[in-house]
Amino acid sequence: MRPGLRIHRPLGRAAVWVWFAVGVPAAAIAISLAVTPAETLQVAGQSVSVSAAGFNPAFHGPGELNLFGRTIPTTVEFTGPIRPKVQWSEVAHLDQLVDAVQQNEPVGQVLQDGWGRYFLHEVAIAVAFALLLAAASARILHMRLRLSSVGVGIAVVIALLVNGGGVAAAAHGLQQVARETASLDELVGRKPLQIPGASATKSLDTPDVVVIGDSTAAGAGNTVAADAGRADIACRRSPDAYAGALASVNDWRVVNLACTNATIKDGLFGSEHINGVDLPSQLEQLKRYPHVRTIIISVGANEVHWANLMELCLASQACDDAASDAWFQQTLDGFALDYFDLLQELKTSFPASRILINAYYEPLSDTPHCPAAYHVTAQKALNLRARLDAFNRVLEDGARGFGFSVAHPSFAGHELCTDQPFIQGPGDDAPLHPNAAGDLAIALADQKALADAEPHTTPASSQTPRVSGTPGTTTAAP
C-alpha cells in the first residue's frame, strides 16, 4: 500500500475506492431524496406539492399520487430509479377551482414545471452531500491531499451523473404528463365524474337540509312510512333515518335523497336502478336546491364493499388474510379518487352551503360478547376496526382538505351484542345498519358538528317539520 493512504490493511484499498465510487454517491442521493423540500404549487385553485417518490431499483414504473393519505400509482410510466410524486393538500382558491372545473384548465404543464424546479434542487443537494461525505471520509481515513481530492472528485462526479441521469431518464414521462394531463384524475388514468343533465334541472323551494348517500343515510331496515312513494320504498328510506330525527328535533325541512346500494359513481353522480325503479342521480336532484344551507353526506361503504368484508371476516378464522386486505386496500384507493370528484363537485356547485361528511360508526366493541353463531371474536373486531379506521381517515382527510366538517357518530356501549345495540343484528332486515336509536345517535353527532362549525347559526326553521324523499314526495316526520 502506498504511503499517503493510511488505512487499516484489512479494509483494503479496493474497498476504499468502492466506498467513494458507490457508497458515498448512493448515500448522498438517498439523503437528498429524503431532505429536499417538496415544491408547493397552486394548480387549478388547489394546493399540491411535488417531490420524488424515493429511489426505486426497478428500471421502469409509475409515479405516485398521494390523495387523502392513499398512495395511488400514476398511469404515466417513468424510466429510471427516481420517480415523481404529487401530494394533494387542500383547496386553496375557490374562484380558481370553479374556473378550472368549468374551463377544464390543464394542469400537466404546471406539474412538469414544478417537478423541474424540485429536481434541480434535489440534484444540487445530492452533489453537496456527496462533497461533504467524501471529504469527511477522506479525513477519517487520513488520506493525503492528492488522494483525498481524487476520492472527493470521484464521489461528486458519480453522484451528479447517477442522480442527474435518473432525473433525465424520467424526463420523457414528465413531458407526457405535460401533454396529456388536464386534471389530477387523468394523472391516474381516469376522467372526472360528471352529472348527466344537471344543467337542465329546475330549482325547487329550498329546504333547510339535504341528505345524500347510501343505505346508512336512507335508514334501511327501519320503518317505512305508510305514505311513502315508489322511490322511498325502492331506496328503503325511513322516517327513522337521521334525516327524520334532524327534521323533528329542529323543526327543519329535511330532504332525504339517499338510497340503498348507492355509490358515488352509481347513485350520486350517475343514475341508479334499484328494486325496479330508475332514479336520477342524487347530485342532479341536489342541484334543484342551489341555495340549500346544509348538505349532509354518508357514502363510501358500498365502494369498499364493507358488508362483504364483514361477511368474509366473520366466516374466516381471524379476518387478517392477505387476500381480503389487498382487496380492501385496492377498493379504498378507488374510493379516494371518486370521493375527490364528489368533494370538488360540492365545493364548486355549493360554495355557500355547509357540507358535513359523516364518518362511519364502530359496529363491534373491543371485547364483543356475541353468540357463537355470529362467529365474532376480539381479534376479528380488532382487524375490522383497523380497516374501518383507514376508511374513516380517507373520509376525514378529504373533508378537511376541502374545508368541510366531519361528524363522528359514536356507538360506544351500544355495539352489536350489547344489551341496547344501536345497530341491527344478523337476523334483522338490514344487518349492521343503524336501528332507530342508532340513527338518533348519528343525528346528535351531526347536530354537534354543525354547531361546532357555526356555533351561533343554525338553518332557518320551517313552521312544519318534515322529511322528504324525492322532490314532491313527503313522509311524516317521526
Side-chain angles (χ1 to χ4, degrees):
M1 184 177 295
R2 296 177 183 176
L5 184 59
R6 295 181 296 169
I7 60 175
H8 297 294
R9 188 172 296 277
L11 183 62
R13 182 186 303 172
V16 172
W17 295 115
V18 168
W19 167 247
F20 280 102
V22 178
V24 170
I29 293 172
I31 294 172
S32 70
L33 290 173
V35 304
T36 302
E39 190 79 15
T40 301
L41 310 173
Q42 301 301 318
V43 181
Q46 303 176 71
S47 178
V48 302
S49 60
V50 294
S51 59
F55 194 86
N56 193 313
F59 181 73
H60 198 71
E64 294 180 2
L65 168 65
N66 191 290
L67 182 66
F68 310 151
R70 307 300 301 173
T71 298
I72 304 168
T74 65
T75 52
V76 177
E77 298 276 326
F78 298 90
T79 302
I82 300 177
R83 316 274 174 76
K85 171 184 176 181
V86 57
Q87 180 163 339
W88 188 90
S89 299
E90 62 182 355
V91 172
H93 303 286
L94 177 58
D95 292 342
Q96 294 177 20
L97 174 62
V98 173
D99 290 342
V101 170
Q102 293 175 343
Q103 301 172 16
N104 197 26
E105 177 185 321
V107 303
Q109 186 63 53
V110 179
L111 292 176
Q112 185 193 35
D113 293 344
W115 272 317
R117 293 190 296 273
Y118 168 81
F119 284 126
L120 182 63
H121 297 154
E122 187 271 327
V123 171
I125 291 174
V127 169
F129 271 105
L131 178 62
L132 291 173
L133 289 173
S137 298
R139 183 175 181 83
I140 292 172
L141 294 171
H142 304 292
M143 296 173 67
R144 290 184 176 177
L145 180 60
R146 182 174 63 84
L147 292 177
S148 297
S149 300
V150 173
V152 171
I154 289 173
V156 169
V157 169
I158 292 179
L160 178 60
L161 290 176
V162 172
N163 201 175
V167 172
H172 176 72
L174 295 176
Q175 293 170 358
Q176 186 178 348
V177 168
R179 290 194 309 268
E180 301 176 5
T181 303
S183 68
L184 292 180
D185 291 87
E186 292 183 2
L187 191 63
V188 291
R190 65 192 295 275
K191 293 286 187 181
L193 297 175
Q194 295 182 340
I195 307 169
S199 59
T201 57
K202 180 180 179 181
S203 296
L204 300 177
D205 291 340
T206 301
D208 300 306
V209 178
V210 176
V211 174
I212 62 175
D214 55 23
S215 53
T216 299
N222 291 313
T223 304
V224 177
D227 58 348
R230 288 184 68 230
D232 295 325
I233 295 173
C235 289
R236 306 185 71 186
R237 295 183 190 131
S238 171
D240 290 333
Y242 64 79
L246 289 170
S248 178
V249 170
N250 297 286
D251 288 344
W252 295 344
R253 181 182 173 227
V254 181
V255 173
N256 191 355
L257 301 176
C259 193
T260 297
N261 294 346
T263 64
I264 293 174
K265 182 179 180 180
D266 299 314
L268 272 68
F269 274 92
S271 59
E272 181 179 3
H273 180 82
I274 183 169
N275 295 323
V277 178
D278 291 312
L279 297 172
S281 82
Q282 293 180 36
L283 287 173
E284 183 180 349
Q285 298 176 68
L286 178 61
K287 286 204 168 187
R288 296 187 176 189
Y289 311 105
H291 305 296
V292 62
R293 184 67 176 277
T294 301
I295 303 169
I296 303 176
I297 304 100
S298 295
V299 74
N302 293 324
E303 279 88 345
V304 300
H305 305 287
W306 184 245
N308 301 113
L309 286 169
M310 288 283 291
E311 291 175 4
L312 285 173
C313 178
L314 297 181
S316 67
Q317 292 297 319
C319 74
D320 59 352
D321 60 290
S324 64
D325 188 62
W327 183 34
F328 171 71
Q329 299 299 333
Q330 182 179 3
T331 58
L332 194 55
D333 289 346
F335 168 70
L337 293 168
D338 289 349
Y339 185 47
F340 174 80
D341 288 344
L342 172 62
L343 297 175
Q344 185 166 254
E345 174 63 37
L346 292 169
K347 188 73 173 181
T348 55
S349 296
F350 301 91
S353 300
R354 291 187 301 178
I355 310 296
L356 176 62
I357 306 295
N358 275 336
Y360 281 81
Y361 50 87
E362 299 280 2
L364 300 173
S365 67
D366 292 334
T367 55
H369 300 284
C370 289
Y374 286 10
H375 305 293
V376 176
T377 65
Q379 184 60 47
K380 290 182 180 182
L382 179 66
N383 291 330
L384 280 172
R385 174 164 292 188
R387 291 176 181 174
L388 185 62
D389 287 346
F391 174 36
N392 279 334
R393 280 196 298 272
V394 172
L395 288 171
E396 181 161 4
D397 288 351
R400 301 296 188 201
F402 277 82
F404 300 156
S405 300
V406 182
H408 296 277
S410 174
F411 286 10
H414 299 278
E415 302 93 343
L416 185 68
C417 303
T418 56
D419 292 336
Q420 295 179 318
F422 282 179
I423 63 174
Q424 301 173 54
D428 293 325
D429 288 342
L432 302 177
H433 285 71
N435 56 25
D439 273 308
L440 179 58
I442 296 175
L444 291 172
D446 290 343
Q447 189 87 17
K448 181 179 184 304
L450 292 173
D452 290 344
E454 290 188 43
H456 303 297
T457 308
T458 57
S461 297
S462 303
Q463 290 185 350
T464 305
R466 61 188 186 277
V467 56
S468 303
T470 51
T473 302
T474 302
T475 56

